[in-house]
Amino acid sequence: MENCSAKIAMPQEHHQISTASSSDPPQGEHGEINHPHDDPFEDDSAIGSDIESLTQTLNSEVLDFEYSNGRRYNAFKNGTYLLPNDEVEVERLDIQHKMWTLILSGKLYLAPLNEDEIHDVVDIATGTGNWAIDFADAHPQARVIECQILIARQVPQNLEFIVEDSEMDWMFTRPFDFIHSRAVAAGWKDWPNYFRQAFNHLKPGGWIEIQDLYFMSDASETCDDGTVKNDHPLVRLSRYMIEGGLKMGFDMRKVQYAASMLKDAGFVDIHQVNLKFPWTEWPEQEPLKTVGRLMTKNMVETGGLSAVGLGILTKKLGWSREKAELFLMEGRNALKDTTQHCYSPVIVVYARKPSETGSPGA
């Protein structure tokens, strides 16, 4: 077995799940940022009217908060969003965005979009909206919608932020060329319904992509060389996250079935890419070494372990705050040990709606 400290392939695995066409559209410049100087939609009042018809952009539920364990949480959907919503969390999510971009080789997405035909795009709940901001900057010709409960500080002219519950009936009045989402394992209960709705709101030939972490329940899923055991604090934390999520109706491991669910919804040209987020600087090669350093910063300096674990441990598993803090301290100490080659599995799946299509799968 190959030593984890030597190499992790990027991407490690790339599988085409099914093929329904002989060729893919040409791949464009995924991550290049071009800052627009003029508003390409200054005479297009349809954007504003469409967005207003979707949802109330800032409602009392989104601006209402609850405080627990010294952190601020959003009250949206009765507080079912598991993570905090405060300035520290915004900083953590900004670091996480850099990590995702690095493991995707500087790209924002992997789907083979035809750059000349990208006009309508929606992102569902990625970070603080920074993915949508970068995408809108890179595609000034596109109308981009961000469904988000965190409010961005400054956005491009071709980007609109809205508040929308993606698990309820979608109210979008315009079909999309591309639907993107990332790190939603703790946000979706009904994944098949999400994919069915995405299918119905894509233009024929449009693409969907989902990027997410796969929560591990065993050390064999987080290490390839045996340096991490099942009693490792981060393996145990992942198990507790899975347990707490199930109590709330979230399956933190559901992304492993994304490809089959996309097929059931009617999608074709389904591809899955398996990657890794190292937890410390143990990898020898870049960019994974930098990703590991950012992960440590993300989990320790910006309170990521507390953000991820404190709410579930105390609210859903009944731990005292003192017990939870002591356990999370074990996790922070473990992140200082680069001899244990721990990583989080990452799964990226993208698929295409057929150019000519009937009803999606049940």
Side-chain angles (χ1 to χ4, degrees):
M1 183 176 293
E2 183 180 354
N3 190 320
C4 280
S5 64
K7 283 187 178 180
I8 302 178
M10 290 192 61
Q12 183 202 8
E13 298 176 15
H14 189 152
H15 305 293
Q16 180 169 355
I17 309 302
S18 64
T19 303
S21 68
S22 59
S23 63
D24 287 323
Q27 189 164 347
E29 299 297 324
H30 297 279
E32 183 178 354
I33 305 300
N34 298 313
H35 295 280
H37 299 290
D38 301 310
D39 183 359
F41 310 122
E42 60 184 356
D43 296 323
D44 189 352
S45 60
I47 292 180
S49 60
D50 280 357
I51 298 300
E52 289 175 7
S53 69
L54 291 173
T55 187
Q56 186 177 8
T57 303
L58 297 176
N59 57 38
S60 59
E61 193 175 12
V62 172
L63 295 177
D64 191 18
F65 303 101
E66 61 180 35
Y67 295 83
S68 178
N69 299 315
R71 301 298 298 268
R72 187 184 74 191
Y73 292 82
N74 202 292
F76 188 60
K77 294 177 66 177
N78 296 318
T80 55
Y81 180 64
L82 298 176
L83 302 181
N85 183 344
D86 52 24
E87 290 75 11
V88 176
E89 178 67 0
V90 168
E91 181 182 358
R92 187 187 74 83
L93 290 173
D94 286 344
I95 294 173
Q96 185 171 280
H97 179 60
K98 295 178 184 177
M99 293 163 52
W100 278 100
T101 305
L102 282 169
I103 68 163
L104 295 179
S105 301
K107 300 174 182 177
L108 293 173
Y109 53 90
L110 298 182
L113 306 184
N114 187 331
E115 300 294 307
D116 295 329
E117 297 180 2
I118 299 302
H119 304 293
D120 296 284
V121 176
V122 63
D123 174 71
I124 308 294
T126 296
T128 60
N130 35 26
W131 184 94
I133 292 171
D134 285 353
F135 190 98
D137 275 338
H139 302 81
Q141 82 286 358
R143 301 175 176 92
V144 182
I145 295 175
E146 170 65 32
C147 295
Q148 189 57 259
I149 62 173
L150 292 170
I151 301 169
R153 293 145 292 200
Q154 196 170 17
V155 301
Q157 297 173 355
N158 58 326
L159 172 62
E160 294 279 354
F161 271 63
I162 67 169
V163 174
E164 180 83 348
D165 184 350
S166 61
E167 292 206 294
M168 298 183 69
D169 290 341
W170 291 10
M171 299 171 63
F172 301 118
T173 59
R174 180 181 321 213
F176 297 103
D177 301 292
F178 184 40
I179 296 175
H180 172 271
S181 60
R182 187 174 76 195
V184 292
W188 292 348
K189 296 180 180 179
D190 190 347
W191 287 55
N193 180 60
Y194 175 86
F195 291 136
R196 285 192 296 268
Q197 296 213 73
F199 187 96
N200 289 332
H201 285 83
L202 274 171
K203 299 175 186 177
W207 289 85
I208 182 174
E209 179 165 322
I210 177 171
Q211 308 167 359
D212 219 319
L213 299 173
Y214 173 74
F215 283 75
M216 59 276 191
S217 62
D218 187 86
S220 63
E221 297 176 311
T222 189
C223 177
D224 300 329
D225 65 357
T227 57
V228 176
K229 308 302 181 184
N230 277 326
D231 62 351
H232 191 285
L234 299 179
V235 177
R236 290 156 56 203
L237 175 60
S238 184
R239 288 201 203 104
Y240 294 140
M241 292 291 293
I242 295 169
E243 180 184 354
L246 289 174
K247 288 179 179 291
M248 300 181 67
F250 300 110
D251 185 349
M252 303 287 200
R253 298 162 63 84
K254 199 78 168 181
V255 68
Q256 67 181 312
Y257 306 115
S260 62
M261 289 185 285
L262 285 164
K263 183 178 180 180
D264 290 343
F267 287 94
V268 296
D269 290 349
I270 304 168
H271 296 255
Q272 178 169 320
V273 181
N274 296 333
L275 300 166
K276 300 175 182 179
F277 266 154
W279 278 80
T280 67
E281 291 185 71
W282 63 263
E284 293 181 355
Q285 76 277 16
E286 294 291 356
L288 291 177
K289 191 173 189 66
T290 297
V291 173
R293 182 171 64 252
L294 290 174
M295 176 67 91
T296 301
K297 181 177 181 179
N298 188 267
M299 292 291 104
V300 178
E301 295 181 26
T302 59
L305 277 184
S306 294
V308 170
L310 199 54
I312 278 189
L313 293 175
T314 59
K315 295 180 180 180
K316 303 305 171 186
L317 300 185
W319 290 28
S320 68
R321 181 176 178 182
E322 292 72 22
K323 178 182 177 181
E325 292 284 13
L326 286 172
F327 172 68
L328 295 173
M329 185 180 297
E330 288 185 54
R332 285 188 283 271
N333 290 333
L335 286 168
K336 300 174 184 178
D337 184 356
T338 58
T339 67
Q340 300 180 81
H341 302 152
C342 189
Y343 61 81
S344 285
V346 172
I347 296 177
V348 178
V349 186
Y350 58 90
R352 182 177 62 84
K353 180 176 179 175
S355 297
E356 303 226 351
T357 179
S359 300

Short mmCIF file of all heavy atoms in Angstrom, two decimals, residues 72-114:
data_model
loop_
_atom_site.label_atom_id
_atom_site.label_comp_id
_atom_site.label_asym_id
_atom_site.label_seq_id
_atom_site.Cartn_x
_atom_site.Cartn_y
_atom_site.Cartn_z
N ARG A 72 -23.31 32.68 17.69
CA ARG A 72 -24.58 33.16 17.14
C ARG A 72 -25.04 32.21 16.03
O ARG A 72 -24.28 31.87 15.14
CB ARG A 72 -24.41 34.57 16.56
CG ARG A 72 -25.73 35.22 16.12
CD ARG A 72 -25.46 36.57 15.48
NE ARG A 72 -24.91 36.40 14.13
CZ ARG A 72 -24.37 37.40 13.43
NH1 ARG A 72 -24.26 38.60 13.97
NH2 ARG A 72 -23.90 37.19 12.22
N TYR A 73 -26.31 31.80 16.10
CA TYR A 73 -26.89 30.88 15.11
C TYR A 73 -28.06 31.56 14.43
O TYR A 73 -28.77 32.37 15.03
CB TYR A 73 -27.35 29.59 15.77
CG TYR A 73 -26.22 28.73 16.29
CD1 TYR A 73 -25.64 28.99 17.55
CD2 TYR A 73 -25.72 27.67 15.56
CE1 TYR A 73 -24.61 28.21 18.03
CE2 TYR A 73 -24.68 26.88 16.03
CZ TYR A 73 -24.13 27.17 17.27
OH TYR A 73 -23.09 26.41 17.75
N ASN A 74 -28.28 31.20 13.17
CA ASN A 74 -29.40 31.74 12.43
C ASN A 74 -30.68 31.00 12.80
O ASN A 74 -30.67 29.78 12.97
CB ASN A 74 -29.14 31.62 10.92
CG ASN A 74 -29.96 32.61 10.12
OD1 ASN A 74 -31.17 32.49 10.05
ND2 ASN A 74 -29.30 33.58 9.53
N ALA A 75 -31.78 31.75 12.90
CA ALA A 75 -33.07 31.15 13.26
C ALA A 75 -33.85 30.68 12.04
O ALA A 75 -34.97 30.20 12.17
CB ALA A 75 -33.92 32.15 14.04
N PHE A 76 -33.27 30.81 10.85
CA PHE A 76 -33.94 30.39 9.62
C PHE A 76 -34.34 28.92 9.70
O PHE A 76 -33.58 28.08 10.15
CB PHE A 76 -33.00 30.62 8.43
CG PHE A 76 -33.64 30.39 7.09
CD1 PHE A 76 -34.73 31.14 6.69
CD2 PHE A 76 -33.15 29.44 6.23
CE1 PHE A 76 -35.32 30.96 5.46
CE2 PHE A 76 -33.72 29.23 4.97
CZ PHE A 76 -34.81 30.00 4.59
N LYS A 77 -35.58 28.61 9.31
CA LYS A 77 -36.13 27.25 9.38
C LYS A 77 -36.05 26.71 10.81
O LYS A 77 -35.67 25.57 11.05
CB LYS A 77 -35.40 26.32 8.41
CG LYS A 77 -35.61 26.66 6.95
CD LYS A 77 -34.81 25.75 6.04
CE LYS A 77 -35.30 24.33 6.11
NZ LYS A 77 -34.57 23.45 5.17
N ASN A 78 -36.38 27.57 11.77
CA ASN A 78 -36.40 27.19 13.18
C ASN A 78 -35.04 26.68 13.67
O ASN A 78 -34.95 25.79 14.50
CB ASN A 78 -37.47 26.11 13.42
CG ASN A 78 -38.86 26.63 13.15
OD1 ASN A 78 -39.19 27.74 13.54
ND2 ASN A 78 -39.68 25.83 12.48
N GLY A 79 -33.98 27.26 13.12
CA GLY A 79 -32.64 26.95 13.60
C GLY A 79 -32.13 25.59 13.19
O GLY A 79 -31.22 25.05 13.82
N THR A 80 -32.68 25.00 12.11
CA THR A 80 -32.22 23.68 11.70
C THR A 80 -30.86 23.73 11.01
O THR A 80 -30.23 22.68 10.83
CB THR A 80 -33.24 23.03 10.74
OG1 THR A 80 -33.48 23.90 9.64
CG2 THR A 80 -34.53 22.73 11.46
N TYR A 81 -30.41 24.91 10.59
CA TYR A 81 -29.04 25.01 10.07
C TYR A 81 -28.08 24.79 11.22
O TYR A 81 -28.12 25.48 12.24
CB TYR A 81 -28.82 26.37 9.41
CG TYR A 81 -27.44 26.56 8.84
CD1 TYR A 81 -27.00 25.76 7.80
CD2 TYR A 81 -26.57 27.52 9.35
CE1 TYR A 81 -25.73 25.91 7.27
CE2 TYR A 81 -25.29 27.68 8.82
CZ TYR A 81 -24.89 26.88 7.78
OH TYR A 81 -23.63 27.04 7.26
N LEU A 82 -27.17 23.81 11.08
CA LEU A 82 -26.41 23.30 12.20
C LEU A 82 -25.26 24.19 12.64
O LEU A 82 -24.82 24.11 13.78
CB LEU A 82 -25.85 21.91 11.85
CG LEU A 82 -26.89 20.82 11.58
CD1 LEU A 82 -26.20 19.54 11.15
CD2 LEU A 82 -27.75 20.58 12.80
N LEU A 83 -24.74 25.04 11.74
CA LEU A 83 -23.52 25.78 12.02
C LEU A 83 -23.81 27.21 12.45
O LEU A 83 -24.89 27.75 12.16
CB LEU A 83 -22.62 25.76 10.79
CG LEU A 83 -22.22 24.37 10.29
CD1 LEU A 83 -21.31 24.48 9.08
CD2 LEU A 83 -21.57 23.54 11.38
N PRO A 84 -22.86 27.86 13.11
CA PRO A 84 -23.07 29.25 13.53
C PRO A 84 -23.21 30.20 12.35
O PRO A 84 -22.90 29.85 11.20
CB PRO A 84 -21.80 29.57 14.33
CG PRO A 84 -21.19 28.26 14.67
CD PRO A 84 -21.56 27.33 13.56
N ASN A 85 -23.67 31.40 12.65
CA ASN A 85 -23.78 32.46 11.64
C ASN A 85 -23.27 33.74 12.29
O ASN A 85 -24.04 34.58 12.73
CB ASN A 85 -25.24 32.60 11.18
CG ASN A 85 -25.41 33.63 10.09
OD1 ASN A 85 -24.53 34.46 9.86
ND2 ASN A 85 -26.55 33.59 9.43
N ASP A 86 -21.95 33.85 12.41
CA ASP A 86 -21.35 35.03 13.02
C ASP A 86 -20.06 35.37 12.27
O ASP A 86 -19.70 34.70 11.29
CB ASP A 86 -21.10 34.83 14.52
CG ASP A 86 -20.31 33.56 14.84
OD1 ASP A 86 -19.58 33.06 13.95
OD2 ASP A 86 -20.43 33.05 15.97
N GLU A 87 -19.37 36.41 12.71
CA GLU A 87 -18.20 36.89 11.99
C GLU A 87 -17.09 35.85 11.95
O GLU A 87 -16.38 35.71 10.95
CB GLU A 87 -17.68 38.19 12.62
CG GLU A 87 -18.59 39.40 12.43
CD GLU A 87 -19.84 39.37 13.31
OE1 GLU A 87 -19.90 38.51 14.23
OE2 GLU A 87 -20.74 40.18 13.08
N VAL A 88 -16.93 35.09 13.03
CA VAL A 88 -15.90 34.05 13.06
C VAL A 88 -16.21 32.97 12.03
O VAL A 88 -15.32 32.47 11.33
CB VAL A 88 -15.80 33.44 14.48
CG1 VAL A 88 -14.80 32.29 14.49
CG2 VAL A 88 -15.39 34.50 15.48
N GLU A 89 -17.48 32.60 11.91
CA GLU A 89 -17.87 31.59 10.93
C GLU A 89 -17.66 32.09 9.50
O GLU A 89 -17.27 31.31 8.61
CB GLU A 89 -19.32 31.18 11.16
CG GLU A 89 -19.86 30.16 10.17
CD GLU A 89 -19.21 28.79 10.28
OE1 GLU A 89 -18.32 28.60 11.13
OE2 GLU A 89 -19.61 27.89 9.51
N VAL A 90 -17.93 33.37 9.25
CA VAL A 90 -17.69 33.93 7.92
C VAL A 90 -16.22 33.79 7.55
O VAL A 90 -15.87 33.40 6.42
CB VAL A 90 -18.14 35.40 7.87
CG1 VAL A 90 -17.63 36.07 6.59
CG2 VAL A 90 -19.66 35.49 7.93
N GLU A 91 -15.33 34.08 8.49
CA GLU A 91 -13.90 33.95 8.23
C GLU A 91 -13.54 32.49 7.94
O GLU A 91 -12.76 32.19 7.02
CB GLU A 91 -13.09 34.45 9.42
CG GLU A 91 -11.58 34.37 9.21
CD GLU A 91 -10.78 34.83 10.42
OE1 GLU A 91 -11.40 35.26 11.43
OE2 GLU A 91 -9.54 34.74 10.37
N ARG A 92 -14.13 31.57 8.69
CA ARG A 92 -13.85 30.15 8.47
C ARG A 92 -14.31 29.71 7.09
O ARG A 92 -13.60 28.98 6.37
CB ARG A 92 -14.54 29.30 9.54
CG ARG A 92 -14.18 27.83 9.48
CD ARG A 92 -15.01 27.00 10.45
NE ARG A 92 -16.38 26.84 9.98
CZ ARG A 92 -16.75 25.90 9.09
NH1 ARG A 92 -15.85 25.08 8.57
NH2 ARG A 92 -18.00 25.78 8.71
N LEU A 93 -15.49 30.15 6.68
CA LEU A 93 -16.02 29.76 5.38
C LEU A 93 -15.21 30.38 4.24
O LEU A 93 -15.07 29.77 3.16
CB LEU A 93 -17.49 30.16 5.26
CG LEU A 93 -18.45 29.35 6.14
CD1 LEU A 93 -19.86 29.95 6.09
CD2 LEU A 93 -18.47 27.89 5.73
N ASP A 94 -14.67 31.56 4.45
CA ASP A 94 -13.80 32.17 3.43
C ASP A 94 -12.53 31.34 3.24
O ASP A 94 -12.07 31.14 2.12
CB ASP A 94 -13.44 33.60 3.83
CG ASP A 94 -14.61 34.57 3.63
OD1 ASP A 94 -15.57 34.20 2.92
OD2 ASP A 94 -14.57 35.68 4.19
N ILE A 95 -11.97 30.84 4.34
CA ILE A 95 -10.80 29.96 4.24
C ILE A 95 -11.18 28.66 3.53
O ILE A 95 -10.44 28.15 2.68
CB ILE A 95 -10.23 29.67 5.64
CG1 ILE A 95 -9.67 30.94 6.28
CG2 ILE A 95 -9.14 28.59 5.58
CD1 ILE A 95 -9.24 30.78 7.73
N GLN A 96 -12.33 28.15 3.87
CA GLN A 96 -12.79 26.90 3.26
C GLN A 96 -12.94 27.06 1.75
O GLN A 96 -12.64 26.14 0.97
CB GLN A 96 -14.12 26.48 3.89
CG GLN A 96 -14.65 25.15 3.42
CD GLN A 96 -15.84 24.69 4.23
OE1 GLN A 96 -15.71 24.17 5.32
NE2 GLN A 96 -17.03 24.91 3.70
N HIS A 97 -13.40 28.24 1.30
CA HIS A 97 -13.54 28.50 -0.13
C HIS A 97 -12.17 28.41 -0.83
O HIS A 97 -12.06 27.85 -1.93
CB HIS A 97 -14.16 29.89 -0.34
CG HIS A 97 -14.32 30.27 -1.78
ND1 HIS A 97 -15.09 29.54 -2.66
CD2 HIS A 97 -13.80 31.30 -2.50
CE1 HIS A 97 -15.05 30.11 -3.86
NE2 HIS A 97 -14.27 31.17 -3.78
N LYS A 98 -11.14 28.93 -0.19
CA LYS A 98 -9.78 28.82 -0.75
C LYS A 98 -9.36 27.36 -0.85
O LYS A 98 -8.73 26.95 -1.84
CB LYS A 98 -8.79 29.58 0.13
CG LYS A 98 -9.01 31.08 0.18
CD LYS A 98 -8.02 31.75 1.12
CE LYS A 98 -8.29 33.24 1.25
NZ LYS A 98 -7.37 33.88 2.23
N MET A 99 -9.70 26.57 0.15
CA MET A 99 -9.34 25.15 0.14
C MET A 99 -10.01 24.42 -1.02
O MET A 99 -9.37 23.63 -1.72
CB MET A 99 -9.72 24.51 1.47
CG MET A 99 -8.93 25.02 2.66
SD MET A 99 -9.72 24.62 4.26
CE MET A 99 -9.98 22.85 4.09
N TRP A 100 -11.29 24.67 -1.22
CA TRP A 100 -12.00 24.03 -2.33
C TRP A 100 -11.38 24.42 -3.66
O TRP A 100 -11.21 23.57 -4.55
CB TRP A 100 -13.48 24.42 -2.29
CG TRP A 100 -14.30 23.63 -1.33
CD1 TRP A 100 -14.69 23.99 -0.08
CD2 TRP A 100 -14.84 22.32 -1.54
NE1 TRP A 100 -15.44 23.00 0.50
CE2 TRP A 100 -15.56 21.97 -0.37
CE3 TRP A 100 -14.80 21.42 -2.60
CZ2 TRP A 100 -16.21 20.75 -0.24
CZ3 TRP A 100 -15.46 20.20 -2.47
CH2 TRP A 100 -16.15 19.87 -1.30
N THR A 101 -11.06 25.69 -3.82
CA THR A 101 -10.48 26.14 -5.08
C THR A 101 -9.14 25.46 -5.33
O THR A 101 -8.82 25.08 -6.47
CB THR A 101 -10.32 27.67 -5.08
OG1 THR A 101 -11.59 28.28 -4.80
CG2 THR A 101 -9.84 28.17 -6.43
N LEU A 102 -8.36 25.28 -4.28
CA LEU A 102 -7.05 24.64 -4.42
C LEU A 102 -7.18 23.17 -4.85
O LEU A 102 -6.47 22.72 -5.76
CB LEU A 102 -6.27 24.73 -3.11
CG LEU A 102 -5.62 26.08 -2.82
CD1 LEU A 102 -5.10 26.12 -1.38
CD2 LEU A 102 -4.47 26.35 -3.79
N ILE A 103 -8.07 22.41 -4.21
CA ILE A 103 -8.15 20.99 -4.57
C ILE A 103 -8.80 20.80 -5.94
O ILE A 103 -8.65 19.74 -6.55
CB ILE A 103 -8.87 20.14 -3.50
CG1 ILE A 103 -10.35 20.47 -3.42
CG2 ILE A 103 -8.20 20.22 -2.17
CD1 ILE A 103 -11.16 19.41 -2.70
N LEU A 104 -9.49 21.83 -6.44
CA LEU A 104 -10.05 21.77 -7.79
C LEU A 104 -9.11 22.41 -8.81
O LEU A 104 -9.53 22.79 -9.90
CB LEU A 104 -11.42 22.45 -7.82
CG LEU A 104 -12.52 21.79 -6.99
CD1 LEU A 104 -13.82 22.58 -7.09
CD2 LEU A 104 -12.75 20.34 -7.44
N SER A 105 -7.84 22.53 -8.43
CA SER A 105 -6.80 23.06 -9.33
C SER A 105 -7.12 24.46 -9.82
O SER A 105 -6.90 24.80 -10.98
CB SER A 105 -6.62 22.10 -10.53
OG SER A 105 -6.25 20.81 -10.10
N GLY A 106 -7.64 25.29 -8.91
CA GLY A 106 -7.92 26.68 -9.23
C GLY A 106 -9.26 26.91 -9.91
O GLY A 106 -9.58 28.05 -10.25
N LYS A 107 -10.03 25.86 -10.09
CA LYS A 107 -11.32 25.98 -10.78
C LYS A 107 -12.46 26.18 -9.78
O LYS A 107 -12.36 25.80 -8.62
CB LYS A 107 -11.59 24.73 -11.62
CG LYS A 107 -10.54 24.47 -12.69
CD LYS A 107 -10.78 23.15 -13.38
CE LYS A 107 -9.71 22.86 -14.42
NZ LYS A 107 -9.89 21.54 -15.07
N LEU A 108 -13.53 26.74 -10.26
CA LEU A 108 -14.74 26.88 -9.45
C LEU A 108 -15.65 25.67 -9.62
O LEU A 108 -16.51 25.43 -8.78
CB LEU A 108 -15.50 28.15 -9.83
CG LEU A 108 -14.80 29.48 -9.50
CD1 LEU A 108 -15.58 30.65 -10.10
CD2 LEU A 108 -14.65 29.66 -8.00
N TYR A 109 -15.51 24.93 -10.69
CA TYR A 109 -16.37 23.79 -10.99
C TYR A 109 -15.61 22.88 -11.96
O TYR A 109 -14.61 23.28 -12.58
CB TYR A 109 -17.69 24.24 -11.62
CG TYR A 109 -17.50 25.13 -12.82
CD1 TYR A 109 -17.41 24.59 -14.10
CD2 TYR A 109 -17.36 26.50 -12.68
CE1 TYR A 109 -17.21 25.40 -15.20
CE2 TYR A 109 -17.16 27.32 -13.77
CZ TYR A 109 -17.09 26.76 -15.04
OH TYR A 109 -16.87 27.56 -16.14
N LEU A 110 -16.10 21.65 -12.10
CA LEU A 110 -15.49 20.68 -12.99
C LEU A 110 -16.36 20.34 -14.19
O LEU A 110 -15.87 19.75 -15.15
CB LEU A 110 -15.16 19.39 -12.22
CG LEU A 110 -14.17 19.53 -11.06
CD1 LEU A 110 -13.91 18.16 -10.42
CD2 LEU A 110 -12.86 20.16 -11.52
N ALA A 111 -17.63 20.68 -14.15
CA ALA A 111 -18.52 20.38 -15.27
C ALA A 111 -18.01 21.06 -16.54
O ALA A 111 -17.54 22.21 -16.50
CB ALA A 111 -19.94 20.84 -14.95
N PRO A 112 -18.10 20.39 -17.69
CA PRO A 112 -17.58 20.95 -18.96
C PRO A 112 -18.55 21.94 -19.60
O PRO A 112 -19.14 21.68 -20.65
CB PRO A 112 -17.38 19.70 -19.82
CG PRO A 112 -18.44 18.76 -19.34
CD PRO A 112 -18.57 18.99 -17.85
N LEU A 113 -18.70 23.08 -18.97
CA LEU A 113 -19.64 24.08 -19.47
C LEU A 113 -19.14 24.70 -20.77
O LEU A 113 -17.93 24.91 -20.96
CB LEU A 113 -19.83 25.20 -18.43
CG LEU A 113 -20.25 24.79 -17.02
CD1 LEU A 113 -20.48 26.03 -16.18
CD2 LEU A 113 -21.49 23.91 -17.05
N ASN A 114 -20.05 25.02 -21.65
CA ASN A 114 -19.75 25.82 -22.84
C ASN A 114 -19.83 27.28 -22.44
O ASN A 114 -20.92 27.81 -22.22
CB ASN A 114 -20.73 25.49 -23.96
CG ASN A 114 -20.34 26.17 -25.27
OD1 ASN A 114 -19.73 27.25 -25.28
ND2 ASN A 114 -20.71 25.55 -26.37
#
